[in-house]
Each structure stands twice: as C-alpha cells, then as structure tokens.
Amino acid sequence: MRIRTALGVATTTLCLLVAPGAAQESADTVVYPLPGLSVTALRLPVPRAAVPLNVTVVDGETLRARGIRSLAEALDEWAGITVVETGSFGGTTSIFVRGGESDYVRVLIDGVPVNAPGGGLNIAHLTAANIDRIEVVRGPSSVLYGSDAVAAVIEIHTREGAGAPKLDARARGGSHGTVDLAVAVFGGGDRLSYSASLSNFDTDGVLDFNNQYRNTEASARLALQPDELTSIALSLRYSDHDFHFPTNGAGALVDRNQFTAGDRTVASLDASRRFGPVEAEITLGAHRSDEGIRDAFDDAEDAESLRTDDEARRLLADARAHVRLEETAVLTIGGLVEDESLETALASESSFGPFESAAANDRSTRALYGQVLLTPRTDVSLTGGVRYEDNEIFGSHTTWRLGASFAPAAALRVRASAGTGFKEPTFFENFAEGFALGNPDLVPEESRSWEVGLDAATRDGAATLSATFFDQRFDELIDFTFAPPVDGDPNFFNIARADARGMEISGEAALGGGIGIAADYTWLDTEVRDPGFDVTADATFAPGQRLLRRPRHSWSSRVTWRSQAVGVLAAEGRYVGAREDQDFSSFPAVRVESDAFFLLDVSAEVPLLRSDRGRRLAAVVRIENLLDESYEDPTGFQARGFTVLAGLRAGLGR
C-alpha cells in the first residue's frame, strides 16, 4: 500500500509541480495552445483563438505511439469527461461530459452521427484505428449539430494520406489471451490522397468464464481535388464485434453462453466548391448498426432462452454555405434533412411459454441553421448562431449559442459563451408497447449553459494553461414510472430536472530534451432539482442528491519522453474520486458511494531498426493498471487489474 501511495504521489507531484502540461512535446498535440486550428467547433477551420469554447484536439499518431487502441482510452484522461466501462474489454462503455447524461454527447465519424436515435451510444467498439485526429467541443452545440449535442460533440476524423505510399503495422499480445493486430497504408499527392486500415482485437476477457471479446474494423478514406476550388472526400468505416458476458445487471456471474453480436457501417461523402467569397459544402452520410443479444439454452435443465435484434439506420444530407463578408466576418447558412429508423425483434422462451414481438418505427427531421463569426480586430472574435428544427414526432424546436473571445495580451485569452442544447426522445420512449407504453407527446430534453474561460501561454508556446468554469441546467428530463397517473397513460413523461456546474483546468509544458508533461483536473458539482416520480433516497434522480456516476473530483497527469535513441516513453496517472452509484444486487436497487481509485499506466515504443529508406521496426509495450488497483466502476463490475500488451510496430516509407 505504501508503494502504491508513493508512486501515485510521485507521478502527481512531478506533473503538477513542474508545470501543468501535455504528455508529449508540443508538436504531438494541439491541446489548448493558442495557435492551431479547430474544425468541429464552428464547422469551418478557424484559429483556436477565435473559438470561445473549451476545445481539445489530439492527433492520431500521438495515440498510436502510446499504444492507445480505443476511443474510450483516449477520452479517459481529458478534463470534464468521465468514462464508465462495465469490467472487461468490450463491456458497455458510457461517457459523461460536464455532468450530463450519457446520451448527451453527439459522436461523429467524418461528420456522420453514430449515436442511436435519442442519443444512446456504447463507445466500447469505437477504435483509434486510422484516426487523423479527435476533436472534443465541450458545451452545447445543438446550433450546428442538432439533437444529442447537449454537453459535448466528439468528432473522429479519418487519416488523410500525403506523400509517398507508407505502411504502418502493429502486432501485440499479452494478458487475458489478448491478440491485437493492425495494419494501415496511406499516401497521396496534390490531387489524390488515400488511407486504409484493418484491425482485429481478440481477448479471452478477465472473468472466469464466457468473457471473450472480438472486434474487427476496416476503414478507408479517398480524397480528390480536381482543381484548386473543388474537393471531394469519401470515407467508409465498418466494424463487427461479439462480446460474451456471464453477468447479470448486478455484475453476478450467472450465464455461461450469453453474448452480444453486432456490426456498424458508417459512410460519408463530403464535397465543397468555392465560388468567389462563398464556399458551398455538402455532407451526405449513412449510419447503420445492428446489435442483439444471443442467449440460447445453457443445458437441458435451462428453461430460458433469449434473442434480440435492434437495427438502427440514419440517413442525412447537410448542406451549408460559408459566405465571407469582407475580411472580418463569415456567415454560415445551412440546412439538414435526416431520417431515422429502428427495427426491433425479440424471441424468448421461459417457464411461461414462448414469446415473440417485433416493431418498426421511423421519424424524420428538417432543420435550418445560421452562424456568424466576426473578427473586427485581431484580438477579438464574436460568434452567434441559431437553429430551427422540425421533427415529425415532437414538432419544432429552436436553439441558440453566443460566444466571445478577447486576447488582451499576445499569449492570454479570455473567452465566454452561452447557449442551449436538446436531445430528442428515444424510439422506445416514443413508441414502446407491451410492458411499457411509449409517449408520442414527449418533448426534447433541454439544457441551458454558460461558461467563462482563460487560456494562457508562454511567449514561445512551450507551456500553456487553460481554466474554464461552466454552469448547466438540464430540464424536461424524461422519467419512467411503473404506475402512470391514469390507467392507460404512457409510462414516460418530461418531469425531472438537474443542475451541473464545475471547473476544468488543463495545462501542458515542453521541458526540453524531448520531455513533456500534462495535467487535467475537473471539479464537478451536480444536484437533482426535481426527482420526477420516484422521490425515495435510492432513486435514480434522488431529490437534492448528486447525479449518478459523476465524481466530484478527478484528475490525470502524464509524462512523456521522446528521443531518437529511446523512442517514446510515457507514464499516465489517473484519479477518479468517490461518486454516487446504485447497487443492483438487491431489489429495489440502493444508493451507494463508490470508492475513489488511482490508476497508473506506462507505455514505450523503442526503435530496433531505422533506415534511410524509411524502414522502421520498434518494440512496443503498454501496461495498464501497473499498481494492480482493485476497483469497481460501475458498482458490481470488477474492473481490469494489471494488464500488459507487448509486441512490434513496423513501418515503411518516409
């Protein structure tokens, strides 16, 4: 215990006392410095200093060099974000940003949303393969992205090839019978660029039985530029997975053959053309996911079997024009057409006899939005936007956002923003039949938010610091009741309310000699203002209590050393404070406080061979939970202990 404490204190003290900073040299990432660009924040490439929001951008090569395989691993260390994973590899993984619900984050791959209709998303199967960069925009962004963009937008940008053809391959193996394989090719010239990758992750899992997980993913991007005024990009990402889980909802080991199986396809076509001061863009996107539970009879004595299938589709066309008004203003005008559908099927057998059900529902959305970016002076930027959305189920909804950024000094920036966000009901909340009755009259869940922030940097950009205070109110939260107010009424109503406020502090510094450090800290205070139907102390929305699974305090710290001789060495410490949760081992579930925990991960990429012709070979290793910390997150699900993956990474081309 003393060794664990000493290591944790040493890692934290090193990162926080030397200076808050990045876990890599400043060239590795564009997290928080005043220079650099952001595309997702305003839907056009603009200098970071013009964005009045707290934005994080990290490049894919930084993630690959540290051995980070999944989106969940990448997000886990960033301020304002809480990742909750049910135990082993492939377990249901949710993200909470700034205290919002787990379905309050819109996740995009090359502009195409991958959330289920209504915002739900299990990010366990989203990988970092073939990623150029990940952008996180905190705060409500429904003005530009519509539903689900209540607390944040996260966009994955597929790698853009450039130069002579290159190859990058990785092979690792290790704990829990895990094998991790990945290969990518990429390159291109002035008129054509390309990238493609294939990866496979296979593991026996951490539980005693029935815990295997497999994820295979293929990704490709092709970009054309017929002339200087026109660009076209086509991207495609396909994955399929199966996850075996012996646990019930409380985490108990009860079933030897149940598993989930699913696949996902995301396709995006982006085209743009400049006409003088106007740049016209269109995004055509398609997302299809098919997920289901498979639980056949265990043996001759087993009387229960279950099979479910949920196939969701999203089709969208989003067109916009960026109009440059002289040199100090850009006006964006856009429109969206989107169709969503969900087909479900269930077949079960039990002591009560066989049962089957099926449903198919769809709904469409039409939206108009506008945004203006004003830069009257080099040290001042102003933004404002509004969106009108019309959905055939919940009707019309309007949302807005305002922001300002002011730089009183060359490396100092003050920013502020305020806005609203919304999340449409899920298909189940609208259309459920059987044991629960959906409510077609539900309105979207809403948020009102404001934030103020300060960004500072040294003159040479070697060290940066960012601090943001935010305040959010969530209204019209949809609550479920087993006993509707009137017999025959639906089981879902807009009734609950909650607040979330907090502080995000992040920094990075390059110390010279290839050494970089980083630290992120989040203080979060949440409170249920209206509990909905259940007013007991153990309710999901317990009156006056904190929201579930959101720690009040959390931080991460990272140290990285890069050199030609040693390659890349990194250490990452992460602390998650105590948080409220529910224990489902009894019925009804009771509220409990989960213990805080500290995790220490280390990784290395050490060159073994490097030639002038671009041939590279390196030994790679990543050790997660080096201190073998025992913890549950969420309650009832034992998290992974000491885990090591080691192997080789090879490359061709310069």
Side-chain angles (χ1 to χ4, degrees), residues 107-341:
V107 178
L108 308 164
I109 297 179
D110 296 323
V112 179
V114 294
N115 304 72
L121 179 63
N122 174 14
I123 67 169
H125 316 303
L126 296 178
T127 78
N130 206 30
I131 285 181
D132 177 71
R133 68 189 186 280
I134 301 172
E135 294 194 42
V136 176
V137 182
R138 297 168 182 83
S141 293
S142 290
V143 161
L144 296 176
Y145 295 101
S147 178
D148 316 333
V150 177
V153 168
I154 298 173
E155 183 164 16
I156 296 170
H157 298 270
T158 301
R159 175 159 40 190
E160 301 179 13
K166 304 174 186 65
L167 180 143
D168 185 22
R170 181 188 70 215
R172 301 187 299 180
S175 301
H176 319 300
T178 301
V179 176
D180 177 30
L181 305 173
V183 61
V185 293
F186 48 97
D190 294 337
R191 293 288 184 249
L192 173 69
S193 64
Y194 60 90
S195 70
S197 74
L198 180 65
S199 64
N200 184 79
F201 185 82
D202 204 317
T203 180
D204 293 335
V206 303
L207 300 180
D208 294 337
F209 58 88
N210 191 34
N211 201 209
Q212 300 86 2
Y213 173 61
R214 179 195 57 81
N215 186 355
T216 301
E217 182 177 81
S219 170
R221 183 181 190 273
L222 181 66
L224 303 172
Q225 190 168 2
D227 55 56
E228 294 182 354
L229 302 178
T230 309
S231 64
I232 303 170
L234 173 66
S235 67
L236 181 67
R237 192 173 290 254
Y238 171 82
S239 65
D240 69 78
H241 62 270
D242 52 70
F243 170 61
H244 294 248
F245 62 105
T247 54
N248 60 14
L253 304 179
V254 297
D255 201 306
R256 292 189 171 274
N257 66 348
Q258 69 179 351
F259 66 98
T260 61
D263 61 79
R264 181 193 309 276
T265 303
V266 184
S268 171
L269 175 63
D270 276 298
S272 67
R273 172 78 180 181
R274 289 203 307 273
F275 303 92
V278 179
E279 182 172 8
E281 297 179 334
I282 186 169
T283 300
L284 303 178
H287 170 231
R288 173 193 172 276
S289 66
D290 191 356
E291 184 90 14
I293 297 175
R294 308 289 185 263
D295 187 9
F297 295 114
D298 287 20
D299 49 45
E301 297 181 358
D302 189 359
E304 296 184 359
S305 68
L306 175 68
R307 179 187 176 99
T308 68
D309 285 284
D310 297 305
E311 183 177 0
R313 291 188 179 91
R314 302 184 83 141
L315 298 174
L316 66 88
D318 190 331
R320 54 207 171 273
H322 307 294
V323 184
R324 299 192 178 275
L325 308 174
E326 299 181 350
E327 295 183 357
T328 61
V330 179
L331 174 65
T332 298
I333 301 175
L336 168 80
V337 176
E338 182 176 30
D339 290 312
E340 303 172 328
S341 65

Side-chain angles (χ1 to χ4, degrees), residues 273-542:
R273 172 78 180 181
R274 289 203 307 273
F275 303 92
V278 179
E279 182 172 8
E281 297 179 334
I282 186 169
T283 300
L284 303 178
H287 170 231
R288 173 193 172 276
S289 66
D290 191 356
E291 184 90 14
I293 297 175
R294 308 289 185 263
D295 187 9
F297 295 114
D298 287 20
D299 49 45
E301 297 181 358
D302 189 359
E304 296 184 359
S305 68
L306 175 68
R307 179 187 176 99
T308 68
D309 285 284
D310 297 305
E311 183 177 0
R313 291 188 179 91
R314 302 184 83 141
L315 298 174
L316 66 88
D318 190 331
R320 54 207 171 273
H322 307 294
V323 184
R324 299 192 178 275
L325 308 174
E326 299 181 350
E327 295 183 357
T328 61
V330 179
L331 174 65
T332 298
I333 301 175
L336 168 80
V337 176
E338 182 176 30
D339 290 312
E340 303 172 328
S341 65
L342 178 65
E343 296 182 8
T344 63
L346 181 149
S348 67
E349 211 168 313
S350 68
S351 56
F352 298 99
F355 175 79
E356 293 186 6
S357 68
N361 300 104
D362 60 79
R363 63 190 179 198
S364 62
T365 295
R366 308 291 184 264
L368 296 173
Y369 58 90
Q371 173 186 264
V372 62
L373 168 62
L374 303 175
T375 53
R377 297 181 349 202
T378 57
D379 59 348
V380 175
S381 68
L382 305 170
T383 62
V386 64
R387 182 187 190 94
Y388 174 81
E389 186 141 336
D390 184 60
N391 183 282
E392 67 173 316
I393 300 299
F394 61 76
S396 61
H397 192 84
T398 302
T399 187
W400 58 270
R401 185 173 70 184
L402 298 172
S405 175
F406 171 58
L412 182 66
R413 180 172 67 124
V414 180
R415 51 183 165 78
S417 67
T420 59
F422 73 96
K423 186 198 79 70
E424 64 188 4
T426 67
F427 272 72
F428 190 74
E429 290 165 343
N430 270 153
F431 304 115
E433 297 179 352
F435 74 90
L437 185 62
N439 185 352
D441 296 325
L442 292 171
V443 299
E445 298 183 355
E446 301 175 354
S447 76
R448 290 173 291 159
S449 174
W450 61 269
E451 66 180 80
V452 292
L454 177 70
D455 299 325
T458 57
R459 288 188 176 275
D460 60 0
T464 64
L465 180 67
S466 175
T468 305
F469 179 85
F470 61 87
D471 188 285
Q472 298 189 106
R473 292 194 172 190
F474 307 118
D475 294 310
E476 305 288 0
L477 301 183
I478 297 172
D479 197 14
F480 172 85
T481 177
F482 284 103
V486 178
D487 287 343
D489 276 1
N491 297 86
F492 299 93
F493 295 88
N494 295 96
I495 191 170
R497 297 182 296 167
D499 291 343
R501 64 192 64 83
M503 174 77 75
E504 299 158 346
I505 302 176
S506 302
E508 65 176 30
L511 305 182
I515 298 176
I517 60 174
D520 293 87
Y521 168 75
T522 305
W523 168 74
L524 178 65
D525 180 37
T526 63
E527 181 183 0
V528 175
R529 289 187 292 129
D530 190 329
F533 292 103
D534 189 350
V535 297
T536 65
D538 293 322
T540 300
F541 295 105

